[in-house]
Amino acid sequence: MILYKTIALTMGRHLENEHFVQMPGPDGIPITPDEARQHWKNTLSEVANARIYLLDHNAADYLDSLRMDVQGMPWQSNPESHIQNYVRNVAFPNDLVWVEYDDRKLWEGRVERGITTMDEEELGRRKQRGFLFDNRSNHKLTVRLYSAYSEKIFFDAPFILEIAKTSDGRPDFSNVSWHMQRPAIAVLMRLGLIKSGAALQEAFEEHKGRLTYEMVIGFMLFAALSNREDDLQSIKTPSLTNAQMKTARKFGKAWMTNTLKSHVTIRIGPAAQRHLSEQKARIEFEKVQSASRSAPTEHWVSEHERRYRDGKIVRIKAHKRGKAADKNLPARVIGPSEGR
């Protein structure tokens, strides 16, 4: 199941059929049924009006590698300003944008590229992940992260990241704030997943780390869509089959027909495929190099003098030394850069 469809179907059915109950709030103030219902209505409306992008695993892997070209590898201590200056100039394809990908596949790709290690149990806990970017306000950009738990169950966004905008409408990453979504936190408390203030703080730190690191993939998507011609391929697909649409209309389920209109599937194009092929070949080449004591890559040594202890001086002519580069190693293919 696609995560955004799970959210739309679950919230739509719940709003249509269920009675909301009062729940204890994280700040000691109860969550009223009206507050919970309004929260779900707002979320459903935003998903309905968002432009939906679904990344296949190759596209997510490609965009992740582009991010690391700018941001650096996780073990590198590059200044955060590198990636912040890049994403500040990215144009959004819509005021409301949903970006979704398979988180397990993304991390499998990272393991394959040697960026991290993760066992099967850890990978098994990762499923669909979706980011909702809200760029409608002139004063702030908000980002929310949703995660699938199973085919029919998802975790609502417990916290919202708000990024203030400068006078020219660009994100100001020096001025950010976080806000709890009280109904979402209340559900986690009700399920026993958050039992104390310390657990709430731990959940916030974990969510903050995931959102701030992974949301950059969305910005890389926006940059690639606007700057490149053959990196990515976009395929627009109806979210409901003809039979599902007919049934929804028959039973008056307007929340289905109005919300689940269509989505855009993103796959990689020729340039992205070359980039990934080059990257894979280079990683394998570097593994071989690090595992063996091979001669240096072929290079020119300029003419110079060699002096010996006995006072003898020998003039060494310019010459080549080292081993010729592997002809099968592809040339570097660069992804989209700022301002291109």
Side-chain angles (χ1 to χ4, degrees):
M1 174 67 77
I2 299 170
L3 176 57
Y4 103 92
K5 289 180 68 173
T6 299
I7 293 173
L9 292 172
T10 301
M11 288 189 167
R13 291 190 187 113
H14 204 62
L15 286 167
E16 185 179 53
N17 302 316
E18 299 295 328
H19 295 289
F20 288 81
V21 297
Q22 183 166 293
M23 299 178 289
D27 49 7
I29 302 174
I31 307 293
T32 65
D34 286 343
E35 182 181 356
R37 178 177 288 275
Q38 189 60 48
H39 167 72
W40 280 47
K41 279 185 176 180
N42 291 342
T43 301
L44 189 62
S45 174
E46 287 162 352
V47 171
N49 289 291
R51 182 169 297 176
I52 309 293
Y53 291 101
L54 307 183
L55 308 179
D56 77 357
H57 66 277
N58 285 325
D61 204 33
Y62 170 63
L63 294 168
D64 193 44
S65 71
L66 294 187
R67 175 260 289 284
M68 291 178 182
D69 285 343
V70 180
Q71 190 174 14
M73 294 297 182
W75 55 82
Q76 295 175 316
S77 55
N78 291 357
E80 289 187 0
S81 58
H82 285 186
I83 192 66
Q84 290 175 354
N85 290 338
Y86 182 93
V87 302
R88 284 185 76 249
N89 298 310
V90 171
F92 279 67
N94 199 51
D95 286 340
L96 274 169
V97 186
W98 174 273
V99 178
E100 179 178 335
Y101 58 85
D102 187 330
D103 194 44
R104 174 178 179 135
K105 290 290 186 181
L106 177 63
W107 281 93
E108 285 178 348
R110 287 171 175 167
V111 170
E112 186 178 346
R113 297 190 335 250
I115 295 171
T116 187
T117 57
M118 191 172 291
D119 60 32
E120 189 63 28
E121 182 179 352
E122 292 174 301
L123 288 170
R125 291 195 292 266
R126 298 179 178 275
K127 295 178 174 62
Q128 292 293 113
R129 181 165 289 177
F131 289 84
L132 184 61
F133 295 85
D134 186 347
N135 199 37
R136 291 174 294 181
S137 170
N138 294 326
H139 308 291
K140 64 183 179 181
L141 164 68
T142 67
V143 188
R144 278 172 277 175
L145 167 61
Y146 298 81
S147 301
Y149 179 74
S150 68
E151 288 290 313
K152 297 182 179 180
I153 302 174
F154 70 96
F155 287 125
D156 197 352
F159 304 96
I160 300 176
L161 170 62
E162 289 190 358
I163 306 169
K165 291 183 179 179
T166 57
S167 57
D168 60 358
R170 299 174 188 274
D172 178 7
F173 291 97
S174 65
N175 187 4
V176 303
S177 57
W178 292 86
H179 302 276
M180 283 193 301
Q181 295 211 98
R182 297 175 70 249
I185 297 291
V187 170
L188 296 176
M189 293 170 58
R190 193 176 183 184
L191 294 173
L193 299 176
I194 294 179
K195 299 180 180 180
S196 64
L200 178 59
Q201 182 62 32
E202 183 180 346
F204 167 68
E205 294 297 336
E206 182 178 358
H207 190 82
K208 176 183 176 182
R210 288 179 179 175
L211 189 153
T212 53
Y213 186 71
E214 304 293 13
M215 74 173 183
V216 180
I217 292 176
F219 286 98
M220 302 309 295
L221 169 65
F222 306 153
L225 288 174
S226 61
N227 295 331
R228 306 290 288 182
E229 294 182 356
D230 59 353
D231 276 37
L232 302 175
Q233 296 176 345
S234 303
I235 304 171
K236 191 172 183 180
T237 308
S239 295
L240 295 174
T241 65
N242 291 335
Q244 290 172 329
M245 183 69 73
K246 184 177 180 180
T247 301
R249 287 172 177 163
K250 178 180 179 181
F251 292 98
K253 297 185 181 296
W255 52 268
M256 285 183 65
T257 55
N258 293 339
T259 306
L260 298 171
K261 298 174 184 176
S262 64
H263 59 263
V264 178
T265 300
I266 301 294
R267 298 190 174 96
I268 59 174
Q273 185 61 63
R274 290 194 298 270
H275 177 94
L276 291 179
S277 298
E278 177 276 330
Q279 182 185 66
K280 184 176 182 180
R282 186 164 294 278
I283 289 172
E284 292 301 319
F285 176 78
E286 290 172 353
K287 284 180 180 179
V288 172
Q289 290 291 91
S290 63
S292 62
R293 297 189 62 183
S294 56
T297 303
E298 184 180 53
H299 61 282
W300 275 100
V301 177
S302 60
E303 185 175 340
H304 63 282
E305 292 181 345
R306 182 174 294 168
R307 298 174 180 270
Y308 295 87
R309 289 182 181 179
D310 60 4
K312 183 179 178 181
I313 301 176
V314 177
R315 192 73 179 173
I316 307 297
K317 294 182 178 181
H319 64 281
K320 282 186 178 181
R321 70 182 299 268
K323 182 180 179 182
D326 187 349
K327 293 182 180 180
N328 293 322
L329 184 63
R332 181 71 167 159
V333 180
I334 303 297
S337 61
E338 182 180 350
R340 185 178 298 174

